Amino acid sequence: LLQNIFAQNKDFYCTPTSGILDLLLQSRQNFTHNPTIAAQDESQMKEAFRLYCNRGIKGYFEPLTDRKYVIDKNRGWGINYNFAEYIFEKPKMIAMVRDLPQIVASLELKYRNSPHKDPGIVNHDEFVNTTTLKRVSQFYTTMSPLAGPLENLHDIIQQGISDKMLFIRYEDLCSDPNVVMDKVYDFLEVPRYKHDFEHIKQSTKENDTIHGIFGDHTIRNTLGYKDNNPLEVLGQESLDFLREQYDWYYKTTGY
């Protein structure tokens, strides 16, 4: 949603989930373990690799766009902030958050609305994830698409990386989008832009089949809050579980 709002601004090129970070991390692994590199002056190689990454990113996007700025989307950037800071002097990172029960209710509804597909998360013979409460706990501990990003977010907060990032609450974007987007542009230190929140074009495309039953990157063309009715979908016991287990998230995000 945020990427497609950004894309209304002709100065911005906005990616779907991008693979550039993965390419850089693989290069870092090679750089770290390659004996021919290790045999050379360490300080020189450190700077050489930094420029390799810096200019490699620019070269990667050169055939893709001639727009002034690139907004690269990848949930792994935050936990790799120190790596990004090594490549760029002052990386700008934005993270959108949402009320946890709303997120989990959305995932549970995706599960319930796909009875014709094997969800790959339930085993009735072994009583694995056979109830709503069991699935709620697993959404946060082992199962994509939430478990990894949530674990990373916890560590981002504990390391203090979150102080260098801009967090946007989905609910705030929906209720007061002009104020939120002005805040975003000020954080990015680029001129503000007047967006049309009534006509949001789907500019980014993702192949949701690779995400299984939980994949859904299709946006509504008009900005508006969607209530997934967590109490009705999940039940009070699940909501109490979330509040108890993820109190750090509520405190940090103000929910």
Side-chain angles (χ1 to χ4, degrees):
L1 173 62
L2 185 59
Q3 288 292 78
N4 286 287
I5 291 174
F6 268 134
Q8 292 181 336
N9 187 333
K10 299 306 180 183
D11 281 342
F12 285 160
Y13 174 74
C14 306
T15 75
T17 301
S18 167
I20 185 63
L21 174 61
D22 301 293
L23 292 177
L24 294 172
L25 292 175
Q26 289 175 14
S27 292
R28 184 178 69 175
Q29 185 177 28
N30 194 347
F31 172 79
T32 302
H33 300 290
N34 189 310
T36 59
I37 291 176
Q40 300 181 63
D41 181 87
E42 183 177 0
S43 62
Q44 288 184 334
M45 289 299 98
K46 181 179 179 181
E47 177 61 11
F49 184 61
R50 186 190 72 80
L51 289 176
Y52 165 90
C53 294
N54 183 295
R55 295 173 185 175
I57 292 174
K58 296 173 183 177
Y60 177 90
F61 286 109
E62 189 171 312
L64 302 179
T65 184
D66 59 359
R67 296 191 176 189
K68 191 173 182 179
Y69 306 110
V70 172
I71 307 292
D72 187 74
K73 173 190 170 187
N74 190 308
R75 290 180 177 86
W77 274 119
I79 198 61
N80 286 287
Y81 184 92
N82 291 336
F83 183 40
E85 198 171 34
Y86 157 70
I87 299 172
F88 298 102
E89 183 177 350
K90 189 180 179 182
K92 300 284 189 177
M93 294 193 190
I94 302 168
M96 184 177 287
V97 294
R98 190 178 184 182
D99 189 27
L100 283 184
Q102 291 285 348
I103 298 174
V104 179
S106 176
L107 295 175
E108 176 65 14
L109 287 172
K110 290 292 182 186
Y111 162 77
R112 295 180 189 179
N113 292 335
S114 302
H116 60 298
K117 295 181 179 180
D118 178 10
I121 61 173
V122 175
N123 186 322
H124 288 281
D125 293 334
E126 298 180 9
F127 302 100
V128 176
N129 298 329
T130 51
T131 69
T132 299
L133 182 58
K134 286 181 179 180
R135 287 190 293 276
V136 167
S137 65
Q138 290 302 300
F139 283 138
Y140 285 96
T141 55
T142 60
M143 294 191 303
S144 293
L146 188 57
L150 189 67
E151 179 178 275
N152 288 345
L153 178 59
H154 193 193
D155 199 41
I156 286 167
I157 293 168
Q158 292 209 332
Q159 288 189 46
I161 295 173
S162 55
D163 296 337
K164 304 176 183 180
M165 300 171 59
L166 177 65
F167 283 80
I168 301 171
R169 302 200 321 174
Y170 166 72
E171 295 82 356
D172 296 337
L173 178 64
C174 291
S175 64
D176 210 346
N178 287 304
V179 171
V180 170
M181 291 307 297
D182 283 349
K183 184 178 180 181
V184 168
Y185 280 106
D186 292 346
F187 172 77
L188 294 176
E189 298 181 276
V190 298
R192 292 179 178 180
Y193 182 87
K194 182 66 174 178
H195 289 276
D196 181 358
F197 301 106
E198 298 296 323
H199 304 88
I200 305 173
K201 180 183 177 182
Q202 178 101 39
S203 299
T204 65
K205 308 292 183 182
E206 300 213 17
N207 182 2
D208 283 327
T209 59
I210 67 174
H211 301 292
I213 64 173
F214 300 116
D216 185 2
H217 290 85
T218 302
I219 67 166
R220 298 187 302 276
N221 297 121
T222 299
L223 181 64
Y225 179 72
K226 180 181 179 182
D227 187 350
N228 291 313
N229 300 310
L231 180 59
E232 178 181 326
V233 173
L234 304 176
Q236 189 62 54
E237 187 177 9
S238 293
L239 297 185
D240 292 342
F241 167 83
L242 294 177
R243 174 65 70 172
E244 179 181 351
Q245 294 294 317
Y246 299 96
D247 185 58
W248 62 267
Y249 183 93
Y250 288 89
K251 289 180 178 178
T252 302
T253 57
Y255 286 108

